[in-house]
């Protein structure tokens, strides 16, 4: 049951006694409803303070000045056959003839349908007989594949999502201002192709590619096996050389150090030098990951277990090694492939050793310094011999000076009495 509400729109009482309202945002011409009536077709007519409205088969119709209605503030409304009589507030009574519409109902012309990977956009336009009805007053509704109709509206396109592959039909009806339309509507069709992997044409190139890949795999398998055998043999030779080398060798991973340096974003090398305090340098040293050491390393640093040596590396390189370690970090920052520096190291038993520290980046490891070969050459004996030679040279020089001084003094002591005798 419907009732007029002069402030809130068109009221409706459902069978459960719940009241709801239809407002202008729902299609009603105006919210100030003063009277209503129903014609023989079952269409509801509503007189408002903003014009005449009608609701029929889910479609709201609006009649204002463009329909010939000279007054908008309406009051009573009454149906007499095919005539709608409506009274105005002070401007008389108006007779609206339902048969006044001339010519056939509007027609629909479809625009090209867009069919995409995940959606379909159907578009259309409306055409009235001799253009007497403006397009903005023609309402349309659409349904797809015989499903339910959409609400009447003034839109001219619909986006469909999740449409399955195959043939589809769309039907559009267009109604003129008095609600006339072709019952059959206007039909258009479109096709949705299956996904690429579901099309037969997809399997031919895929099958050919798979067959070619299989043949190439079979053809290159012996070569890959030979290459793998050569690589394994090369790795065995490298490991044998690494383990049996007479000098201390370390295989290390500097990637964490390079990541830390890159994260500093320092302006230049001067800023880096200022940043590399002893604490920072030894923190960077702790980030170095030792992958392997050889037998000569264990012998040099008086240790039997490689894991123990790795765990106590801070005892090997102490504060005397700060200049060498800082220089190595600067070399990493520059991107150098090689670095060498003489420094001091200690064995785990506390033996002090003079060593030459070298590192060389393994080919293919410069990108992140993940494989660096480090050698530690013990030059303690050479350093001791050099110091002993320097001490002997200083002693010989001092003896020579003393001898010269003795001879000079003796000569003076002899010449003085001789001169007196002469």
């Amino acid at each position: 049951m419907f009732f007029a509400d002069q402030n809130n729109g068109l009221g409706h009482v459902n069978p459960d006694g719940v009241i709801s309202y239809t407002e202008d945002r729902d299609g009603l011409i105006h919210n100030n409803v003063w009277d209503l009536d129903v014609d023989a077709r079952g269409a509801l007519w509503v007189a408002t303070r903003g014009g005449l409205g009608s609701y029929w088969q889910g479609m709201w119709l609006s009649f204002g000045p463009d329909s010939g209605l000279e007054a908008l503030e309406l009051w009573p409304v009454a149906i007499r056959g095919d005539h709608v009589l409506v009274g105005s507030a002070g401007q008389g009574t108006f007779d609206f003839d339902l048969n006044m519409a001339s010519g056939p109902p509007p027609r629909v012309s479809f625009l090209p349908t867009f069919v995409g990977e995940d959606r379909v956009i159907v578009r259309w336009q409306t055409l009235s007989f001799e253009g007497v009805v403006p397009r903005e007053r023609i309402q349309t509704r659409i349904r797809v594949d015989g499903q339910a109709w959409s609400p009447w509206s003034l839109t001219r396109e619909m986006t469909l999502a999740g449409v399955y592959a195959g043939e589809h039909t769309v039907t559009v009806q267009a109604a003129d201002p008095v609600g006339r339309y072709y019952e059959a509507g206007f039909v258009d069709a479109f096709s949705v192709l299956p996904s690429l992997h579901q099309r037969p044409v997809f399997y031919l190139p895929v099958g050919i590619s798979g067959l070619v890949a299989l043949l190439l795999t079979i053809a290159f398998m012996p070569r890959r096996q030979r290459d793998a055998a050569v690589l394994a043999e090369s790795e065995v030779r490298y490991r044998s050389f690494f383990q049996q080398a007479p000098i201390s060798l370390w295989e290390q991973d500097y990637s964490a150090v390079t990541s830390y340096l890159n994260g500093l974003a320092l302006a230049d090398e001067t800023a880096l030098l200022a940043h590399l305090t002893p604490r920072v340098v030894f923190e960077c040293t702790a980030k170095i990951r030792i992958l392997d050491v050889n037998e000569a390393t264990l012998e040099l640093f008086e240790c039997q277990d490689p894991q123990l040596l790795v765990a106590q590396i801070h005892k090997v390189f102490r504060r005397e090694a700060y200049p060498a370690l800082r220089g190595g970090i600067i070399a990493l920052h520059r991107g150098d492939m090689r670095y060498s520096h003489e420094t001091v190291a200690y064995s785990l038993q506390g033996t002090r050793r003079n060593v030459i520290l070298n590192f060389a980046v393994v080919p293919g490891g410069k990108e992140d310094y993940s494989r660096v070969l480090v050698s530690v050459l013990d030059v303690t004996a050479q350093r001791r011999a050099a110091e002993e030679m320097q001490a002997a040279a200083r002693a010989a020089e001092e003896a020579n000076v003393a001898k010269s001084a003795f001879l000079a003094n003796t000569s003076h002591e002899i010449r003085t009495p001789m001169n007196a005798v002469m």
Side-chain angles (χ1 to χ4, degrees):
M1 182 180 68
F2 294 95
F3 64 90
D5 190 313
Q6 297 178 4
N7 296 308
N8 300 316
L10 178 64
H12 176 257
V13 182
N14 65 17
D16 297 331
V18 178
I19 298 176
S20 60
Y21 286 89
T22 299
E23 302 176 351
D24 51 4
R25 62 185 178 184
D26 302 314
L28 183 65
I29 190 171
H30 200 274
N31 286 339
N32 299 137
V33 179
W34 283 71
D35 195 13
L36 51 87
D37 199 359
V38 180
D39 65 15
R41 300 176 304 168
L44 176 66
W45 292 86
V46 181
T48 74
R49 289 296 181 173
L52 180 65
S54 176
Y55 183 74
W56 183 55
Q57 294 187 357
M59 176 171 45
W60 276 105
L61 304 176
S62 300
F63 304 94
D66 54 356
S67 303
L69 189 62
E70 298 179 1
L72 294 181
E73 295 185 0
L74 307 180
W75 196 344
V77 61
I79 308 300
R80 294 295 181 269
D82 292 332
H83 293 263
V84 179
L85 303 176
V86 57
S88 64
Q91 291 183 269
T93 301
F94 297 90
D95 183 0
F96 187 75
D97 187 358
L98 297 179
N99 296 319
M100 68 177 181
S102 60
R107 302 179 65 83
V108 173
S109 174
F110 288 94
L111 300 174
T113 300
F114 170 79
V115 180
E117 291 290 336
D118 56 350
R119 59 177 177 163
V120 175
I121 301 178
V122 182
R123 299 175 296 173
W124 64 91
Q125 59 184 3
T126 57
L127 305 170
S128 63
F129 180 71
E130 295 183 349
V132 296
V133 180
R135 292 182 178 181
E136 59 271 13
R137 296 201 63 203
I138 300 176
Q139 300 186 62
T140 62
R141 64 178 180 176
I142 182 174
R143 68 177 176 181
V144 181
D145 296 333
Q147 299 177 8
W149 288 100
S150 68
W152 289 95
S153 69
L154 297 175
T155 61
R156 297 294 186 263
E157 71 174 40
M158 173 176 281
T159 300
L160 309 174
V163 182
Y164 61 85
E167 299 291 331
H168 299 272
T169 59
V170 292
T171 305
V172 176
Q173 293 176 337
D176 62 13
V178 296
R180 298 182 309 139
Y181 60 87
Y182 288 107
E183 185 67 31
F186 298 86
V187 181
D188 191 24
F190 64 88
S191 299
V192 176
L193 296 177
S195 300
L196 181 60
H197 67 277
Q198 297 176 337
R199 302 179 196 174
V201 69
F202 171 78
Y203 295 100
L204 181 60
V206 171
I208 294 175
S209 300
L211 180 60
V212 170
L214 179 61
L215 293 176
L216 289 175
T217 302
I218 295 174
F220 285 104
M221 186 174 296
R223 185 172 181 178
R224 290 180 59 188
Q225 292 175 347
R226 290 195 303 270
D227 292 343
V230 171
L231 183 61
E233 183 180 356
S234 175
E235 181 68 18
V236 169
R237 287 201 306 268
Y238 167 76
R239 286 297 162 192
S240 176
F241 166 77
F242 181 85
Q243 291 297 334
Q244 301 302 322
I247 64 173
S248 171
L249 295 179
W250 308 57
E251 189 175 356
Q252 299 180 345
D253 179 1
Y254 285 36
S255 56
V257 180
T258 56
S259 298
Y260 171 77
L261 295 176
N262 293 334
L264 295 177
L266 298 175
D268 51 24
E269 189 170 310
T270 303
L272 177 63
L273 288 171
H275 180 76
L276 291 179
T277 62
R279 180 183 62 81
V280 174
V281 168
F282 284 103
E283 286 179 356
C284 290
T285 304
K287 297 178 184 293
I288 299 174
R289 182 171 168 232
I290 301 174
L291 305 177
D292 197 5
V293 296
N294 67 348
E295 296 294 334
T297 301
L298 300 178
E299 181 180 352
L300 176 64
F301 294 103
E302 299 178 300
C303 178
Q304 301 298 323
D305 185 2
Q307 300 299 326
L308 179 61
L309 178 63
V310 172
Q312 300 192 27
I313 193 66
H314 60 281
K315 294 183 179 180
V316 174
F317 297 104
R318 304 181 186 179
R319 195 169 185 85
E320 292 110 317
Y322 165 68
L325 297 178
R326 186 182 70 164
I329 293 175
I330 295 172
L332 286 179
H333 186 262
R334 290 175 182 164
D336 295 345
M337 295 290 290
R338 292 180 177 275
Y339 171 74
S340 179
H341 198 288
E342 184 174 348
T343 185
V344 175
Y346 291 85
S347 71
L348 295 188
Q349 305 303 321
T351 305
R352 187 178 187 276
R353 303 186 186 279
N354 295 96
V355 298
I356 296 179
L357 189 66
N358 299 276
F359 80 64
V361 180
V362 176
K366 187 179 179 181
E367 185 67 26
D368 57 356
Y369 287 83
S370 58
R371 285 192 70 187
V372 178
L373 185 63
V374 178
S375 64
V376 181
L377 181 60
D378 183 9
V379 294
T380 305
Q382 291 87 333
R383 170 66 66 176
R384 186 179 299 115
E387 290 176 353
E388 290 176 356
M389 290 180 62
Q390 290 176 358
R394 284 196 301 271
E397 184 177 355
E398 290 173 358
N400 187 43
V401 171
K403 177 183 176 181
S404 298
F406 172 75
L407 292 176
N409 186 55
T410 302
S411 176
H412 174 73
E413 292 296 333
I414 293 176
R415 283 199 309 272
T416 300
M418 288 298 295
N419 289 335
V421 171
M422 295 294 294

